[in-house]
Structures are given as C-alpha cells and as structure tokens.
C-alpha cells in the first residue's frame, strides 16, 4: 500500500516506522518542513510542507495530528485529495469530523501511549478501525491486521468511551506516579523503592477485577491513617496534593465501604 502521513509527531513517527516494514510511505507532510524531513528520512519518503504538493495517487492518507487540528487539516487537504481514503488516528474524535467534509473518511486508532525514545509492540497494540464506506472498512481492517493481532471495528461512541477510560488508566495513573515521586523527592527518598509495588499493582489490575484488588487505608476506612497522611501533606504546603489525596480517598471509601 502507498501511504501519506499528515503530521510528524509521536504517533506519526511510530506509525510510519511500523508501516514502512510492509508498505510504502510516499510522503510526510508537516507545516514545519524540518519536522517532515526528520521523519521522511527515516522511512525513505518525500518531505513536504505545502498541501498542493500532496500526491493523489496514494492508497491512504493518515492524519496524525493533535485532536484540535484535525478539522482544519481535513478542510485544507480534501480538495487536493477528492477521492482518497483519509483517516485520523484520534481516540476521542468522531468519524463525522472527517465525514462531514470528505466522503471516504475513516479512523485508524492505536490504543497506546507513544514516546519518541520508546519502541512500541505493535503486535499487541489494539487497533480500532471505522469507515464511512464498507469497502474502506475492509481495507483498513486489512492494514491493521498487517500490524497487530488485536484489531477491532468500533463505533465512534465506543472508541470515545475507551479513550476516556484510557485517560484514567494511563494519563491519570502516570500523574499519580509523578505525585508519588514529588513526595519522596522532598525527603530525599529513592523513588525506585516503589518500582516493585508499581509493577505488582499493574499486574494485579490486568489479571483481576481492579475493584477486588483495591487495598489501602481509604478502602479499610482507617480514619487515623487518613488524617495522619493528610497532615503530612499539609506540612509540605502542597494544597494540590492534599486535595487530590482527599478526593481520591473519598472515592475509594465510597466505592468500598458504602457498598459493603
């Protein structure tokens, strides 16, 4: 398959590298030509920064930009690619954002967190496809199967719900790790001492019902420990951490104590 990438960020970079193994990346487009060149050089593609340079003779155009930029991108490129299949990679953006401007619209969403300096296990990464046309859905499913063993045809509403859940499971949990590190750093305690606990917590959550795996003073309703730990946070004058601690403890308490 011949593919053009719109965007040169983390998602575009990982997708381009993975797709290059079995497909041809023809062009990489970015408003910043240097960014386009950096990625294009890695996948033997042409770097462009003008929409009138887009090649209409490709099988697929993948928009891999920030969610808020998707609408402006489809508006700017559709006249140059009137008959091409164009997809976005967003978990939270409806298919209709493309479909309202372009009849061959689709979604190619990888449920994963991406960083430039970490490789992605594409074979185990869930991929979600959606399309306005049935033949395009079959095409995207075939493409997804060339990358992953876990391919799903989900609606926009299902995908948006999954993305919301991912924010809790990934973004919020990572911020909890960040807060934990801030707390121990303040007393020059080695954060790596928490690594076994972090890994075991993640393993239990993926192998069991997370509700059944909950532990800690809030789950037990241990008010003495809760008060003591809030006092420790108050001493640091970190109202943000104290407020989050109180909110999450209350949520855990209600989830467990009030339902017994």
């Amino acid at each position: 398959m011949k593919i053009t990438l719109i965007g040169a960020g983390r998602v575009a970079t990982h997708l381009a590298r993975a797709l290059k193994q079995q497909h041809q990346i023809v062009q990489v487009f970015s408003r910043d030509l240097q960014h386009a060149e950096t990625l294009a050089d890695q996948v033997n593609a042409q770097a462009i920064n003008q929409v009138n340079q887009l090649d209409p003779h490709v099988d697929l155009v993948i928009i891999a930009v920030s969610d808020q930029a998707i609408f402006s991108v489809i508006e700017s490129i559709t006249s140059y690619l009137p008959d091409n299949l164009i997809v976005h990679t967003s978990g939270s953006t409806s298919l209709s954002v493309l479909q309202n401007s372009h009849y061959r619209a689709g979604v190619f969403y990888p449920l994963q967190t991406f960083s430039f300096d970490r490789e992605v296990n594409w074979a185990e990464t869930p991929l979600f496809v959606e399309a306005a046309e049935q033949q395009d859905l079959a095409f995207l499913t075939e493409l997804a199967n060339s990358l992953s063993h876990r391919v799903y045809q989900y609606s926009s509403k299902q995908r948006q719900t999954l993305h919301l859940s991912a924010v809790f499971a990934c973004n919020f949990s990572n911020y909890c790790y960040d807060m934990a590190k801030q707390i121990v750093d303040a007393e020059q305690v080695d954060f790596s001492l928490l690594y076994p606990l972090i890994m075991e917590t993640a393993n239990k959550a993926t192998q069991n019902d997370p509700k059944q795996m909950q532990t800690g003073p809030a789950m037990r309703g241990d008010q003495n420990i809760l008060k003591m730990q809030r006092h420790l946070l108050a001493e640091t004058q970190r109202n943000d951490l104290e407020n989050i601690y109180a909110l999450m403890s209350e949520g855990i308490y209600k989830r467990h104590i009030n339902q017994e």
Side-chain angles (χ1 to χ4, degrees), residues 2-3 25 32 37 41 58 64 67 77 85 114 116 119 177 183 198-199 204 207 225-226 229 235 241 246:
K2 295 182 178 181
I3 300 169
I25 308 301
D32 187 319
E37 289 173 342
D41 287 346
V58 296
D67 290 2
I77 70 173
L85 173 58
F114 295 96
F116 283 118
E119 294 300 320
Y177 301 148
I183 291 169
I198 291 171
M199 297 305 298
K204 290 197 298 185
Q207 297 169 15
I225 296 297
L226 292 171
Q229 292 185 339
E235 287 182 340
L241 297 184

Side-chain angles (χ1 to χ4, degrees), residues 108-236:
F108 194 84
Y109 167 55
L111 178 58
Q112 188 54 274
T113 176
F114 295 96
S115 300
F116 283 118
D117 57 349
R118 293 186 64 85
E119 294 300 320
V120 172
N121 181 356
W122 282 100
E124 296 300 327
T125 296
L127 286 173
F128 300 86
V129 296
E130 185 180 9
E133 303 287 332
Q134 191 62 39
Q135 65 269 26
D136 289 335
L137 180 62
F139 176 91
L140 292 175
T141 300
E142 179 183 355
L143 178 64
N145 281 324
S146 73
L147 292 182
S148 173
H149 301 310
R150 307 182 65 184
V151 177
Y152 307 88
Q153 296 179 1
Y154 269 26
S155 68
S156 290
K157 185 61 177 295
Q158 288 175 310
R159 192 179 66 257
Q160 288 168 342
T161 300
L162 187 63
H163 186 264
L164 172 59
S165 180
V167 168
F168 278 87
C170 175
N171 307 132
F172 288 175
S173 64
N174 190 72
Y175 184 54
C176 285
Y177 301 148
D178 179 24
M179 289 187 289
K181 190 173 188 300
Q182 292 176 55
I183 291 169
V184 294
D185 282 352
E187 294 297 329
Q188 298 181 333
V189 174
D190 186 359
F191 178 66
S192 70
L193 294 171
L194 292 171
Y195 289 177
L197 177 66
I198 291 171
M199 297 305 298
E200 178 62 12
T201 302
N203 287 333
K204 290 197 298 185
T206 57
Q207 297 169 15
N208 304 272
D209 182 341
K211 181 185 178 184
Q212 303 303 320
M213 296 298 103
Q214 187 69 55
T215 61
M219 187 276 292
R220 300 190 302 269
D222 190 333
Q223 295 302 320
N224 290 331
I225 296 297
L226 292 171
K227 289 178 182 179
M228 182 270 289
Q229 292 185 339
R230 288 192 63 179
H231 179 70
L232 285 174
L233 289 171
E235 287 182 340
T236 67

Side-chain angles (χ1 to χ4, degrees), residues 8 28 30 32-42 45-48:
V28 175
S30 174
D32 187 319
L33 184 59
Q34 185 175 356
H35 291 169
E37 289 173 342
T38 297
L39 176 54
D41 287 346
Q42 298 177 48
Q46 177 191 17
I48 59 173

Side-chain angles (χ1 to χ4, degrees), residues 14-25:
H14 281 284
L15 262 179
R17 290 173 180 170
L19 291 168
K20 175 184 176 292
Q21 304 304 314
Q22 301 182 61
H23 309 283
Q24 180 184 357
I25 308 301

Side-chain angles (χ1 to χ4, degrees), residues 61-84:
V61 177
I62 301 177
I63 300 175
V65 298
S66 63
D67 290 2
Q68 60 265 33
I70 293 174
F71 177 75
S72 62
V73 169
I74 189 62
E75 288 288 290
S76 67
I77 70 173
T78 188
S79 61
Y80 297 96
L81 303 165
D83 299 314
N84 295 81

